Amino acid sequence: MTYQADDRRYERQPYNRSGRSGLKLPAVSLGLWHNFGDTRPIENSRAILRRAFDLGVTHFDLANNYGVPYGSAETNFGRILREDFTPYRDELIISTKAGYDMWPGPYGEWGSRKYVLASLDQSLKRMGLEYVDIFYSHRPDPGTPLEETMGALDRAVRSGKALYAGISNYSAEQTAQAARIMRELGTPLLIHQPSYSMINRWIEDGLLDAVEEAGMGCIVFSPLAQGLLTDRYLGGVPADSRAATSRFLSADRIDLDLARGLDEIAKGRGQTLAQMALSWTLRDPRVTSVLIGASSVRQLEDNVACVDGPAFTEDELGAIDKITERYTAR
């Protein structure tokens, strides 16, 4: 069946300006990681993407090595984009990244000009696009001058293969340096993508200040701490859960007291634990958007509903801080 987007899609969530730029992003953006690779049914991916756009999610975030195997998330997204979203391309923000390992040999990862620009060309080919809206340096490269990596981002924008440039996983100091270099090149950085959650608050110790000073936006990933901040583990560790089956989360990281204590606060707010965790990351106006993953339409809908939650009271924030204090990474 031919897809036709919901006419009310822009009534369902707020759109926030990214730093001092002219670009607005939805409060909730969708990350296309392993759930969109070849190991998952493409019709499930299609259903998630369609529903996301109907709910006002206009930003789809990828990277060169997302999916199993590497690159398959971009390939599958490109197919769905071509078949379902071609009429809506100008309503979408599509981002991708280069920085982690992608192909064998010394030119297949990190931040050299050769790798970064070759990776962008490959990503565009996989997705069938002439340009992406945002292109990121996925991580800083300790072995490559920052000027070279930023020069590659500048080249990507000037060539028309990307509209904006961003960085991810950079420290506060590295962010300030990168922003200075890009300003001097004439292509200001649009956005920073760091990890952030109620139990991973490292960006509060300088990075948010650096982002604000540079006029950049901030879009955060892993807001649910790989599922720790959901109701998935309130009763223990299910055999089919990520903690039991994935290398990205181990069962020994699960703390039932933490999850149950936060869940009580969430219930008092009329939210699920996941919804509260997402709302919490958006409480700071310097956070432009929060990235969610989704393995089903239902999970997507539940998470996007975080934008309907009430503002936090000082008592609620204090109670959250008290529960998370001994778990918080800074």
Side-chain angles (χ1 to χ4, degrees):
M1 181 182 297
T2 301
Y3 170 64
Q4 183 172 348
D6 192 316
D7 290 339
R8 299 179 60 192
R9 58 190 177 275
Y10 293 115
E11 301 174 13
R12 295 175 173 173
Q13 70 167 303
Y15 297 85
N16 302 318
R17 192 171 302 279
S18 183
R20 291 195 292 268
S21 78
L23 185 69
K24 291 183 177 181
L25 296 179
V28 178
S29 298
L30 180 63
L32 281 65
W33 193 27
H34 288 335
N35 289 334
F36 292 82
D38 287 350
T39 57
R40 302 298 177 95
I42 194 165
E43 291 308 315
N44 186 60
S45 300
R46 186 190 307 275
I48 293 170
L49 288 166
R50 285 181 172 187
R51 185 59 177 148
F53 190 51
D54 284 345
L55 292 173
V57 177
T58 55
H59 179 207
F60 300 141
D61 181 73
L62 300 103
N64 56 358
N65 64 351
Y66 282 1
V68 178
Y70 284 175
S72 58
E74 289 184 330
T75 299
N76 292 330
F77 174 72
R79 173 183 166 183
I80 297 169
L81 179 69
R82 182 173 62 254
E83 295 174 353
D84 288 7
F85 291 95
T86 296
Y88 307 104
R89 173 62 183 98
D90 290 337
E91 298 183 44
L92 299 176
I93 300 298
I94 300 169
S95 60
T96 195
K97 315 177 195 73
Y100 286 93
D101 62 299
M102 184 58 193
W103 62 84
Y107 318 120
E109 64 177 328
W110 293 109
S112 71
R113 183 181 182 89
K114 178 173 177 61
Y115 165 70
V116 169
L117 294 179
S119 178
L120 176 57
D121 284 341
Q122 291 182 18
S123 291
L124 292 174
K125 184 176 181 180
R126 281 189 292 269
M127 290 187 283
L129 292 172
E130 294 181 356
Y131 70 93
V132 290
D133 298 276
I134 307 171
F135 182 50
Y136 289 89
S137 167
H138 207 166
R139 62 172 171 172
D141 180 355
T144 297
L146 190 57
E147 289 80 2
E148 179 175 342
T149 304
M150 294 303 104
L153 292 183
D154 174 67
R155 176 59 183 166
V157 173
R158 291 184 183 277
S159 69
K161 295 178 181 180
L163 300 186
Y164 299 95
I167 55 176
S168 180
N169 298 304
Y170 280 56
S171 69
E173 181 180 0
Q174 291 165 333
T175 296
Q177 293 173 345
R180 175 185 56 78
I181 293 167
M182 291 296 279
R183 270 197 312 273
E184 292 172 354
L185 290 171
T187 304
L189 286 172
L190 172 80
I191 199 162
H192 189 296
Q193 186 176 134
S195 61
Y196 185 48
S197 73
M198 288 191 285
I199 57 173
N200 176 21
R201 304 192 186 187
W202 73 278
I203 70 172
E204 295 175 4
D205 292 336
L207 180 61
L208 283 172
D209 291 336
V211 165
E212 182 178 31
E213 184 174 347
M216 299 165 60
C218 181
I219 180 170
V220 300
F221 70 90
S222 291
L224 304 181
Q226 300 292 329
L228 288 173
L229 299 176
T230 71
D231 61 8
R232 182 71 162 144
Y233 302 105
L234 293 177
V237 182
D240 62 344
S241 67
R242 179 176 293 181
T245 62
S246 172
R247 65 186 176 90
F248 296 103
L249 178 65
S250 59
D252 60 7
R253 288 188 59 200
I254 305 300
D255 188 292
L256 298 182
D257 290 337
L258 169 72
R260 289 168 180 167
L262 293 172
D263 186 58
E264 285 301 312
I265 300 174
K267 287 177 179 175
R269 291 171 47 81
Q271 291 183 301
T272 66
L273 174 52
Q275 288 168 349
M276 184 179 76
L278 295 169
S279 296
W280 183 91
T281 65
L282 290 165
R283 79 199 188 287
D284 191 313
R286 294 172 294 184
V287 175
T288 310
S289 183
V290 59
L291 275 166
I292 62 169
S295 59
S296 68
V297 169
R298 180 178 178 181
Q299 183 184 25
L300 170 83
E301 292 173 339
D302 287 346
N303 287 345
V304 171
C306 73
V307 299
D308 299 323
F312 285 94
T313 67
E314 290 300 321
D315 287 345
E316 288 171 339
L317 292 174
I320 290 169
D321 289 345
K322 185 175 181 179
I323 292 172
T324 60
E325 184 177 13
R326 68 189 181 95
Y327 306 94
T328 301
R330 289 187 180 272

